[in-house]
Structures are given as C-alpha cells and as structure tokens.
Amino acid sequence: MVDIELLPQVSCLALSPSERALGRLLTLRLSREPADEAQGDLAGDGFYALYEANPSFRDPAPPERAVNRALLEWAQSLQGWEKGRTSTVANLPAALAAAGLLWESLTTEEALQEALKRQEEAAEAARAAEEQEALAAGYGAAGMEEQAVAARAAAAVLRQEAQAAARAGLAALERAQKDKMVQASIAHAVREAGRAGREMAQTLAGWGLGPGSEVRVDPTAALEFMKRNSAKIRRIAEVAGRMRGIALQVRRERVARGPVPAKTGLTRDLTRVFPGELALLHPNAPAVVRAKQMAAWAERGLLGWLPSGEAAKRGPFVAAVDVSGSMAGEREIVAKGV
C-alpha cells in the first residue's frame, strides 16, 4: 500500500487555485506504487473528475498527458459515469473510494499498457526538453549565444519527440478502444467505481455523516474505517440510512395542528422562517446578500416563529438493543439501524 498526493504534477484538467490547495492536503491510498509520474497524475485527475461539479480539460492538453485525458474522456462517455458521480460530487470520502478503484482498473488493463508506456516516453522527452530550454535561458543570460542556440535546437527536437510519442500513445489507445473485450472491461470498471462511491456515501449517511453534516470527517480516515469494518457494520449503516430518509420524509409531510406558532426567535427550520428572511435566500437575490444569509442560517438560524411545545434539546439519544439469540441475524441489524 502506498499513499500519493492528489495534486497532479502535470494535470490534463484546468484546476483552480482552490482545487490545487485541496490536492496538496489530500492523499489517495493505492495498492501499489504508480509505475511513473504520469500514472500518478492519472489518479489525481480521476479524483477531480469525480469530485468536481463541472470539471474541464485543459485546451490544448499537454502532450505528455494526452493518454490520461483520452482515458478520462472515454470513462466520462460511458453510461455508468454520471450515475456514479451522483454520489461522488462534493463528497470527499466517496470520491476517494471511487477514484482509487478506477485507477486500479485503468492501469492494470493489459490492453492499455502500450498507450501508458508511450505516454511515459512523451513525458521523458518533455522533461528533457524543459532542461534544454532552461540551459538555453542560462546560456543566453551569460552571453553564450552559440551554446544557447544549440540548446534551443535540442529542445525543439525533444518537443517533436514528445509529440510523436503522444500520438503513438493515442493510436495505441484507439486500437484498444475498438476491442469489445476492452470496452466491456472499462465499462465494468466505471460501474464498479460508481458502486464504491455510492456504498461509501450511503454508509457515511447512515452514521449521519453525509454532505451538509455539522460533523467534519477526515476523508482518508473515513475510507480506512470503511475498509476495516465488517459487512455487518456496513449493513447496519445502510439500514440506518434508509430509516433516516424515511424519518425526514415523514417530517416533511407532517401537518401542524392547532395554533402552533407562539413566539418569535431564531430557527433553522425553513418552514417557520419569516417570508422576508426567506426572500434573501432566493436564487434571484444578490449573490453577496444570499451568501451572508446562508451563513447566518447555518451559524445561528433565521428569524421566524417558534412553536409553543418545542422543548430545549437535552443531549444525545441513547438506545439499548436486545442482542439475545432470538434477535440474531436481520432482526438485530434492523433494530440497530432504527
């Protein structure tokens, strides 16, 4: 097992400064060391493609990462991609789980090895070209024009070699894409990555740790927790997640009886917030005003009606579950989920 930084050295995506900052903070645990820098970057780009709401590719793509881009574009074109992203967008643990599985599949598929090898040749030529360009700049600054010209010429040749290797890699990938067995394998990999993301998201939601939760979870620790725990714990979390959804739906559909409003105060329940406060949350409200109003709602609540029978919260709910022999199996799982 090896942990790699999620910020690609050379990304085929157009990453913003905030996305790059996130990549420096996160690591992805892989079963093995990437064969080269380009394969490591594929893991990072795969994560951002799953995590970001609107990922976009660099145009033009760096030739030394042309195969990475083509692989991700291929994955995005498959039927299960968008379905999988419904669980991974803006969900760090789910995106990490899906990205790791997708990377394993893409880099171990035998038919893709030639394309990945050609990409690394392009990367080596690009690195050598950068060294020659740096030498040319140094020679130029020192007044050694003859050496500078030679270094620039060498850099130009290396850039051409990088382009040629990138084209060869894309050609190898195109040949692999025409193989029905490879098509089925990559489609399966995309579906499995989506399934891993959904399982992670559903299980965390079962523990009350889904998107929007007030509890902050370290995504790497959450991933390790999920891998270590047994199938029984996963099953309990799945049941708890479903019960939580049922409870929220019942709460939405509940009809208040009698003169419920009694006094005014701060509340996070949007059904009780005054219309004037709600108006500032409308999508047509000025962006700055809406952002401030959302921050106020999240921090302390907004002004609205408070019901007469609403008591102060008194701490955590504690339950005792019978785990005797008569409760073994599904009964115990459902009881703990409830």
Side-chain angles (χ1 to χ4, degrees):
M1 302 293 287
V2 61
D3 292 328
I4 67 164
E5 187 181 84
L6 271 179
L7 178 63
Q9 296 298 313
V10 181
S11 178
C12 62
L13 296 173
L15 300 180
S16 67
S18 61
E19 290 165 352
R20 290 185 171 279
L22 177 66
R24 292 188 182 94
L25 296 174
L26 294 176
T27 58
L28 179 63
R29 178 154 294 182
L30 302 175
S31 62
R32 56 184 172 80
E33 187 80 31
D36 49 62
E37 188 179 273
Q39 287 194 25
D41 287 355
L42 178 61
D45 282 335
F47 163 77
Y48 284 110
L50 289 161
Y51 177 74
E52 294 299 328
N54 298 296
S56 59
F57 289 103
R58 292 170 60 184
D59 193 19
E64 64 270 31
R65 296 296 183 269
V67 172
N68 282 0
R69 172 171 176 164
L71 280 171
L72 290 177
E73 287 179 328
W74 186 17
Q76 290 176 346
S77 70
L78 298 174
Q79 188 174 3
W81 178 265
E82 287 303 325
K83 182 180 178 181
R85 270 172 44 87
T86 57
S87 300
T88 61
V89 171
N91 189 320
L92 285 175
L96 287 171
L101 195 58
L102 180 65
W103 181 87
E104 295 282 350
S105 300
L106 292 177
T107 56
T108 55
E109 174 59 50
E110 185 176 352
L112 303 180
Q113 295 306 307
E114 182 183 353
L116 293 171
K117 181 180 178 181
R118 297 299 183 191
Q119 178 175 242
E120 176 53 21
E121 292 174 359
E124 290 176 357
R127 283 193 293 269
E130 289 175 358
E131 293 174 1
Q132 289 297 321
E133 288 165 353
L135 281 173
Y139 287 140
M144 304 167 66
E145 192 57 33
E146 185 177 343
Q147 290 87 340
V149 170
R152 283 194 289 270
V157 171
L158 288 166
R159 289 293 180 189
Q160 291 175 355
E161 292 178 2
Q163 293 281 358
R167 287 193 295 270
L170 291 175
L173 179 58
E174 188 175 348
R175 290 193 296 272
Q177 288 175 324
K178 294 177 181 178
D179 188 313
K180 298 295 183 182
M181 293 295 292
V182 179
Q183 292 175 15
S185 176
I186 300 304
H188 177 73
V190 169
R191 289 194 299 271
E192 286 297 295
R195 180 192 56 77
R198 283 194 300 276
E199 284 187 358
M200 174 63 73
Q202 289 169 0
T203 305
L204 289 177
W207 298 116
L209 301 175
S213 168
E214 294 183 358
V215 180
R216 296 293 176 264
V217 182
D218 174 57
T220 306
L223 204 59
E224 288 305 304
F225 170 79
M226 288 295 301
K227 289 179 179 178
R228 287 197 309 268
N229 278 282
S230 65
K232 181 179 179 181
I233 297 295
R234 287 174 178 262
R235 182 81 178 98
I236 292 171
E238 289 172 6
V239 173
R242 288 203 297 272
M243 296 297 177
R244 186 182 182 90
I246 292 170
L248 290 173
Q249 182 63 31
V250 170
R251 183 175 182 180
R252 283 193 294 268
E253 296 175 352
R254 185 173 57 198
V255 178
R257 297 180 179 178
V260 177
K263 58 182 180 178
T264 62
L266 296 175
T267 176
R268 287 197 180 97
D269 189 340
L270 294 177
T271 63
R272 299 173 183 166
V273 173
F274 291 152
E277 296 280 84
L278 280 176
L280 300 180
L281 288 173
H282 194 276
N284 292 336
V288 174
V289 174
R290 185 167 182 256
K292 288 183 177 180
Q293 191 76 341
M294 290 179 68
W297 172 77
E299 183 179 353
R300 53 183 172 76
L302 301 176
L303 193 62
W305 290 108
L306 298 181
S308 57
E310 191 171 78
K313 294 182 180 179
R314 297 179 179 176
F317 177 85
V318 180
V321 177
D322 176 10
V323 291
S324 63
S326 63
M327 288 288 288
E330 190 69 11
R331 290 182 177 181
E332 178 191 350
I333 288 173
V334 171
K336 289 182 175 179
V338 171

